[in-house]
Amino acid sequence: MRFATLPLFTAVLAPFAVSAIPMRRGTDNSTALVLRELPRLRLPVPIPGIDDPSEFAFVLEQLEAGFYSQALSKFQASDFISAGFSSANIAIEELTVISTDESSHVSAIEEILIAFGETPLTSCQFDFSSVLTDVSTMATVARVVENVGVGAYLGAAHLIQDPRVLTAAASIVTIEARHQTILNIFQGGSAIPQSFDIPLLPQEVLAIAGSFISGCDLGVTPNPALSVTNTGSITVGTLLEFSSSAINGSTDNFHCQMLAGGMPFSISLPIGQCIVPAGINGPVAVWVTSDDQPLNGGAVDRISNAIVAGPLMAFIDTQPETLSSLVRADSNSTAITTTVSLAQAELDRPCH
């Protein structure tokens, strides 16, 4: 039952919280980064672009909770029917469950922060007005939010030293992955499109989600945001065109890097030949780099001074499943869905 989530989660973390109380700030705090909610962390190794990832983690969980809360407050049953859902009740019910889970994560981790002697950062503001224009765009962004959430956990997993924290973090990321499956279905994608997820570093997470956040300093320098400028349906074989504040001159020697879950290295293509490849189904992270060297598929070894912008999170849905068509009549079978950047919201609606 949902009301049992908070006490159970608090109980799981209780031994860690109690043992942490007498610890001095900064003592082995790197073990908690994977929770994405513990602020004032100190990384054991320097990561270019991150000066102090103090409040980064807790804010991301608030972002997720705020997104669903605002979406459910805005849209009515008729909006979901207009967006092609066979049952508004199914969509609203599942989104409500996801919203409750995210709020439970925020509340439970806030208790842990207080036990750590920390002051949770609550001054951030979240503006989703540009992507809560209609249900189709909202569902697209929700899918991005959950995939990025899972990626953020994975991207910080290598920093964990305490096995209790690892266990607690795993209890969150498994739930986020279940949310991800539901939203894949809502958007006409495969429920479980790949055998592995894509890990994302903090500066990569903010390249995707940072534009929603204001009013606070997360201590993380985000990579420049990246978006696609193609209009119309984007499918396998489509040449991608990009826009970024970091791309403001010659793109000679620039390359696009496409990374799907489980790939040891990204697919590197000249930016003028960045064609959506066959054989990929599901989420794909896309960067622009200043050289042709593929990026490492693992977060631990992916640091590169050659990254110009990105990633953007895209979904290449080439293997439609019957389940999706039962939930949503206009589910899309062969389109790429990018993170809303946020002038590109129209590109992210299911294509017909």
Side-chain angles (χ1 to χ4, degrees), residues 48-127:
I50 300 180
D51 298 321
D52 178 11
S54 302
E55 291 84 12
F56 173 75
F58 184 52
V59 170
L60 287 181
E61 197 63 62
Q62 293 178 68
L63 180 146
E64 292 180 346
F67 174 79
Y68 291 108
S69 175
Q70 292 181 33
L72 288 167
S73 295
K74 177 167 183 177
F75 298 116
Q76 308 300 316
S78 58
D79 297 316
F80 287 90
I81 297 300
S82 297
F85 283 89
S86 57
S87 168
N89 289 338
I90 291 177
I92 294 173
E93 182 178 75
E94 294 302 323
L95 290 174
T96 301
V97 167
I98 294 173
S99 179
T100 300
D101 288 343
E102 303 296 2
S103 295
S104 294
H105 293 168
V106 172
S107 298
I109 299 300
E110 186 172 27
E111 292 184 7
I112 300 303
L113 291 176
I114 294 172
F116 256 98
E118 303 285 359
T119 301
L121 180 65
T122 58
S123 62
C124 294
Q125 299 175 358
F126 307 99
D127 182 5

Side-chain angles (χ1 to χ4, degrees), residues 172-245:
I172 298 177
V173 73
T174 53
I175 300 303
E176 301 286 0
R178 290 169 189 162
H179 298 167
Q180 178 178 297
T181 294
I182 292 293
L183 293 161
N184 287 341
I185 293 170
F186 279 8
Q187 284 299 96
S190 301
I192 309 171
Q194 299 169 358
S195 299
F196 302 90
D197 282 308
I198 305 169
L200 297 171
L201 294 165
Q203 64 268 37
E204 296 172 332
V205 171
L206 286 185
I208 300 171
S211 58
F212 294 118
I213 307 170
S214 65
C216 57
D217 180 7
L218 304 184
V220 177
T221 301
N223 289 351
L226 182 67
S227 64
V228 294
T229 59
N230 300 69
T231 58
S233 179
I234 301 177
T235 64
V236 169
T238 297
L239 174 64
L240 297 182
E241 299 174 354
F242 299 103
S243 174
S244 172
S245 61

